[in-house]
Amino acid sequence: MVTRKEVAELAKVSEATVSRVFNGLGPMKPATKERVLEAAKVLGYHPNAIAQSFARRRSGNLGVVLPYMPKVHLFSAYYFAEILSGIGEQVREQGYDMLLSLLAPDDDLDYGRLYRSQKVDACVILGARDTEAQRSSLLQLQEQGLPFCLVNQRFEGLSFLEVDADHVEGSYQAVRHLLDEGYRKIAFLNGSPQYSNSMDRLHGYQKATLEAGLPIDLSLQFEGNYSRTSGYEAAAQIWENRDQVEAIFAANDRMAIGLLQGLRERGWIAGRDFAVIGCDDSDAAKLSDPPLSSIKVPFFEMGKQAARAVLATVGGAGEAQLQVKLPTEVKIRQSSKSGVWRVGS
Amino acid sequence: MVTRKEVAELAKVSEATVSRVFNGLGPMKPATKERVLEAAKVLGYHPNAIAQSFARRRSGNLGVVLPYMPKVHLFSAYYFAEILSGIGEQVREQGYDMLLSLLAPDDDLDYGRLYRSQKVDACVILGARDTEAQRSSLLQLQEQGLPFCLVNQRFEGLSFLEVDADHVEGSYQAVRHLLDEGYRKIAFLNGSPQYSNSMDRLHGYQKATLEAGLPIDLSLQFEGNYSRTSGYEAAAQIWENRDQVEAIFAANDRMAIGLLQGLRERGWIAGRDFAVIGCDDSDAAKLSDPPLSSIKVPFFEMGKQAARAVLATVGGAGEAQLQVKLPTEVKIRQSSKSGVWRVGS
DNA sequence: TTGTACGCGTTATCAA
DNA sequence: TTGATAACGCGTACAA
């Protein structure tokens, strides 16, 4: 390995000067600078990142923590791919690298490893749930001063760095849309209440319902676990109450598509016999038949902002805005239109 | 930060002994060991990973290189999610961490940064294409001795560590299946020939075709770019030649689904008017309507084996097997069945 | 504008 | 079985 020392010798300067050249520090004679760069080029010198981290006491890595679930596809790949890409873009702009950490469900408490070992300067945490264990782990992290930012998850009562989407408003608009299409009996298939965004959607749903002068009917609320299968299973329950249901708002696209499939097997076609709107506006929404209306969530941008926010605190810059909430947007497709296929009804 | 020195003082041993305890090296009195561990616990000592990397001259990181494509979803999220999970599992078992690197299309040549800066001990490279630029970058890496492993991509004539799937056999079986269902006019929608797996599929397709005594008809071969849109566009071309086509083998699920959608708009329904089989057996295959037959590729396992193989060479253990090829499996669903809906035809 | 010299927290070698 | 101590490659305060 070529070291600074060898470059210094060849360029006939001190090692400190080599460092200065590579870090662009201090005033220096252009001639010196050029000699150093020339020598570095000749020798093929590149600073050793690990030694740099060691000396700077900073790793230059942003940790990205995400739940590890080998065969359990509760989260869609789309969701993580978008957020990861967003983080990746921001990180690259700031000269950082991303250290991925897949957290098994049973070592929830082990956020520690990453920071203790100093392998990362900060973390972005994805797929967190609001449980006692998580709260205490995060509080611990906070006390110990490792900067972290949560994406798409809030913890009521605690003051963490969080980048979220406005799921309340998104859901409100989605249900408004169904109301505007003339539907009145609107069911809601939610995910686990351990996710703050599930609760947010519930609030949006209730707000729109109440505003329309409709009662909150608990028999219209169902719970799945964000998997397609759970949507498929919910279809059976909904079918039981089919005279009570004209439209369904599902808390993500995967469940919505499971729903579509389950009801189709019973002869009910979305966009003809009933309406469905999902959430995430994932690729799957465009792939489904009929194309699925959905709430577009800016996952890419959320990842980007989370990375930016948490890296800002590392730089020691004044605290960034603590809680960010990005807007969502309703995308209408065939699955939630009324009248289109209903010419005869 | 608590350092080894403080632990040594509290435990009344030398710093070297503390290191020995934490690395399980050399013989030592149980009593000493316990004193050290106790002291470490009291102080909350954890070895500094960066200092360790520095001293060991090993980062403990496995680099994962993947093409960066913000809005260009040429690869499916499913594909990468599976491979990443596989890598993640293996890496975790070996006490490594994953450093993600999103490579922009224009810095193809910059595999170097990662290894020059010594941030990784080895790399797994995803989504590589067979271009001159790539070949030379990889050769360069090889010369410089950075261990790397390619996933799902071979370079004919070069001797790299590669973990691939048996796409030739998979495609052969897929086309055999279509033949068995009674189809004779079988079109093939391939992806870019820059990917070795595209070429493999072509070979499998040709092999099955020839074996069945059918001619190789170039007008039955189409090329997309693995996106849904390109499948959708191919539908138009295929529709032109619709009297020449009874079934289509598409090189991935996304194009297959685009095909389904494009042809459906013209009134052609898969599994009734024609057959389609895709490749990857991604989530989308189960979401589509009708459910899409597909070739299952063990992406998770491929990621895992790639990580294992390349980390083995780091340990300095004798070279692992250079080229691995994992089996594929044809999954039959409704899109490729004949007769099911064809009662009347 | 440049050089000197120390420190960072380990690992690993050599003695004892 | 344990202790001293020299690297490791770089950042940086201070001196010149």
Side-chain angles (χ1 to χ4, degrees):
Chain A
M1 170 190 300
V2 185
T3 71
R4 185 180 66 167
K5 189 174 173 183
E6 305 172 46
V7 177
E9 281 165 6
L10 182 56
K12 301 203 185 308
V13 297
S14 72
E15 293 189 45
T17 298
V18 178
S19 280
R20 286 193 198 96
V21 170
F22 275 84
N23 295 316
L25 291 179
M28 64 181 59
K29 261 208 288 242
T32 321
K33 179 171 174 179
E34 220 154 310
R35 276 219 317 289
V36 170
L37 289 176
E38 179 60 20
K41 192 167 182 181
V42 168
L43 296 175
Y45 167 76
H46 295 280
N48 179 323
I50 292 194
Q52 285 179 318
S53 297
F54 183 50
R56 292 187 179 126
R57 272 169 294 272
R58 293 235 249 97
S59 66
N61 294 150
L62 173 68
V64 178
V65 178
L66 60 177
Y68 169 67
M69 12 141 223
K71 298 292 140 184
V72 197
H73 295 287
L74 291 192
F75 296 86
S76 79
Y78 173 83
Y79 174 88
F80 288 116
E82 284 296 307
I83 298 181
L84 266 182
S85 301
I87 297 173
E89 180 165 299
Q90 184 61 33
V91 143
R92 142 187 301 258
E93 282 175 18
Q94 306 199 205
Y96 264 77
D97 284 299
M98 286 167 84
L99 199 77
L100 223 62
S101 180
L102 306 182
L103 215 58
D106 44 315
D107 43 33
D108 259 4
L109 307 163
D110 194 28
Y111 286 136
R113 199 185 67 71
L114 275 177
Y115 90 89
R116 269 188 250 121
S117 64
Q118 324 260 45
K119 275 205 139 180
V120 302
D121 301 330
C123 280
V124 171
I125 299 178
L126 309 184
R129 292 162 304 153
D130 190 346
T131 64
E132 263 318 305
Q134 289 253 358
R135 279 182 173 247
S136 74
S137 315
L138 293 175
L139 272 170
Q140 209 178 320
L141 274 194
Q142 194 173 43
E143 281 164 15
Q144 288 158 339
L146 177 79
F148 63 92
C149 182
L150 297 156
V151 176
N152 207 28
Q153 173 70 37
R154 294 192 321 285
F155 286 83
E156 220 63 58
L158 298 181
S159 177
F160 298 145
L161 208 53
E162 293 161 348
V163 174
D164 203 353
D166 194 342
H167 296 291
V168 175
E169 177 65 15
S171 305
Y172 171 78
Q173 293 298 346
V175 177
R176 282 278 339 143
H177 159 65
L178 294 174
L179 289 164
D180 290 347
E181 290 289 315
Y183 300 105
R184 282 298 169 271
K185 302 173 181 172
I186 301 176
F188 178 33
L189 173 56
N190 204 359
S192 161
Q194 288 185 328
Y195 299 103
S196 64
N197 51 72
S198 301
M199 296 309 292
D200 289 348
R201 289 195 199 90
L202 176 60
H203 296 144
Y205 165 76
Q206 290 180 332
K207 183 180 165 208
T209 306
L210 289 173
E211 242 186 52
L214 300 171
I216 296 292
D217 182 349
L218 288 182
S219 73
L220 286 179
Q221 297 185 16
F222 303 85
E223 182 177 326
N225 65 1
Y226 286 124
S227 70
R228 181 186 62 91
T229 307
S230 72
Y232 184 83
E233 289 163 359
Q237 298 175 49
I238 288 176
W239 182 249
E240 299 288 313
N241 301 41
R242 59 186 169 284
D243 44 344
Q244 301 304 319
V245 177
E246 295 171 342
I248 312 165
F249 166 40
N252 76 346
D253 289 346
R254 301 166 67 85
M255 291 198 296
I257 289 175
L259 222 38
L260 253 53
Q261 296 181 328
L263 290 171
R264 172 189 297 265
E265 287 180 5
R266 295 172 172 83
W268 252 22
I269 305 279
R272 188 189 69 183
D273 307 306
F274 69 113
V276 171
I277 185 164
C279 183
D280 286 355
D281 195 33
S282 60
D283 287 348
K286 300 173 197 88
L287 300 179
S288 83
D289 173 67
L292 182 69
S293 296
S294 193
I295 304 170
K296 187 179 178 77
V297 180
F299 293 119
F300 182 91
E301 190 60 26
M302 288 163 76
K304 190 161 178 178
Q305 294 211 16
R308 188 199 334 255
V310 78
L311 287 180
T313 75
V314 171
E319 298 295 303
Q321 192 187 346
L322 264 186
Q323 266 99 24
V324 177
K325 192 171 287 190
L326 270 45
T328 55
E329 184 189 348
V330 172
K331 293 281 189 185
I332 309 299
R333 299 199 183 83
Q334 220 180 85
S335 72
S336 69
K337 286 189 185 143
S338 66
V340 181
W341 298 23
R342 308 180 116 191
V343 240
S345 77
Chain B
M1 170 191 299
V2 185
T3 70
R4 186 181 64 166
K5 189 174 173 185
E6 306 172 47
V7 176
E9 280 165 8
L10 181 57
K12 303 204 184 306
V13 295
S14 72
E15 294 189 44
T17 298
V18 177
S19 280
R20 285 193 197 97
V21 169
F22 275 84
N23 295 315
L25 291 179
M28 64 181 58
K29 260 208 289 238
T32 321
K33 179 170 176 180
E34 220 153 311
R35 276 218 316 289
V36 170
L37 289 177
E38 178 59 21
K41 193 167 181 180
V42 169
L43 298 175
Y45 167 76
H46 295 279
N48 179 321
I50 292 193
Q52 286 179 320
S53 296
F54 182 51
R56 291 187 180 124
R57 272 170 293 280
R58 292 234 250 97
S59 66
N61 294 150
L62 173 68
V64 178
V65 178
L66 60 179
Y68 170 67
M69 8 143 225
K71 300 289 139 188
V72 197
H73 295 287
L74 291 192
F75 296 85
S76 79
Y78 173 83
Y79 174 88
F80 287 118
E82 285 294 307
I83 298 181
L84 265 183
S85 301
I87 297 173
E89 178 163 300
Q90 184 62 33
V91 143
R92 145 188 297 259
E93 283 175 18
Q94 306 198 206
Y96 264 76
D97 284 299
M98 286 167 83
L99 200 76
L100 224 60
S101 180
L102 305 183
L103 215 58
D106 44 314
D107 42 31
D108 259 3
L109 307 162
D110 194 29
Y111 286 136
R113 198 184 69 69
L114 274 177
Y115 90 89
R116 270 188 248 120
S117 65
Q118 323 261 49
K119 274 203 144 182
V120 302
D121 301 331
C123 279
V124 171
I125 298 178
L126 309 184
R129 292 163 304 153
D130 192 345
T131 65
E132 263 317 306
Q134 288 254 357
R135 279 182 174 249
S136 74
S137 314
L138 293 175
L139 272 169
Q140 208 177 321
L141 274 196
Q142 193 173 44
E143 280 164 13
Q144 287 158 338
L146 177 78
F148 63 91
C149 182
L150 297 156
V151 176
N152 208 27
Q153 174 70 36
R154 294 192 322 283
F155 286 83
E156 221 64 56
L158 298 180
S159 178
F160 297 144
L161 208 53
E162 292 161 349
V163 173
D164 203 352
D166 194 341
H167 295 292
V168 176
E169 177 66 14
S171 305
Y172 171 77
Q173 294 297 345
V175 178
R176 282 279 336 145
H177 159 65
L178 294 174
L179 289 164
D180 290 348
E181 291 288 315
Y183 300 105
R184 283 296 169 273
K185 302 173 180 172
I186 301 176
F188 178 34
L189 172 56
N190 205 0
S192 162
Q194 287 183 329
Y195 299 102
S196 63
N197 52 73
S198 300
M199 296 310 292
D200 290 346
R201 290 198 198 87
L202 176 60
H203 294 145
Y205 165 77
Q206 291 180 330
K207 182 179 164 209
T209 307
L210 289 173
E211 242 185 52
L214 299 171
I216 296 292
D217 182 348
L218 287 182
S219 72
L220 287 179
Q221 297 185 16
F222 302 85
E223 182 176 325
N225 66 1
Y226 285 124
S227 71
R228 181 186 64 91
T229 307
S230 71
Y232 183 84
E233 289 163 0
Q237 299 177 46
I238 287 176
W239 182 249
E240 300 289 312
N241 300 43
R242 59 186 170 283
D243 45 343
Q244 300 305 318
V245 177
E246 296 171 339
I248 311 165
F249 166 40
N252 76 347
D253 289 346
R254 300 166 69 86
M255 291 197 297
I257 289 175
L259 221 38
L260 252 53
Q261 297 181 329
L263 290 171
R264 171 189 298 264
E265 287 180 5
R266 294 169 173 86
W268 252 22
I269 305 280
R272 187 189 73 183
D273 307 308
F274 70 113
V276 170
I277 185 165
C279 183
D280 286 355
D281 194 33
S282 61
D283 287 349
K286 299 174 196 87
L287 299 179
S288 84
D289 175 67
L292 182 68
S293 297
S294 193
I295 304 170
K296 187 181 178 73
V297 181
F299 292 120
F300 182 91
E301 190 60 25
M302 288 164 76
K304 191 161 177 179
Q305 293 211 16
R308 189 201 331 256
V310 78
L311 286 180
T313 74
V314 170
E319 296 297 301
Q321 193 188 342
L322 263 185
Q323 266 100 23
V324 176
K325 193 171 286 190
L326 269 44
T328 55
E329 184 189 349
V330 173
K331 294 279 189 187
I332 308 299
R333 298 198 183 84
Q334 221 179 87
S335 73
S336 69
K337 288 194 182 136
S338 66
V340 181
W341 298 23
R342 307 179 116 191
V343 242
S345 77

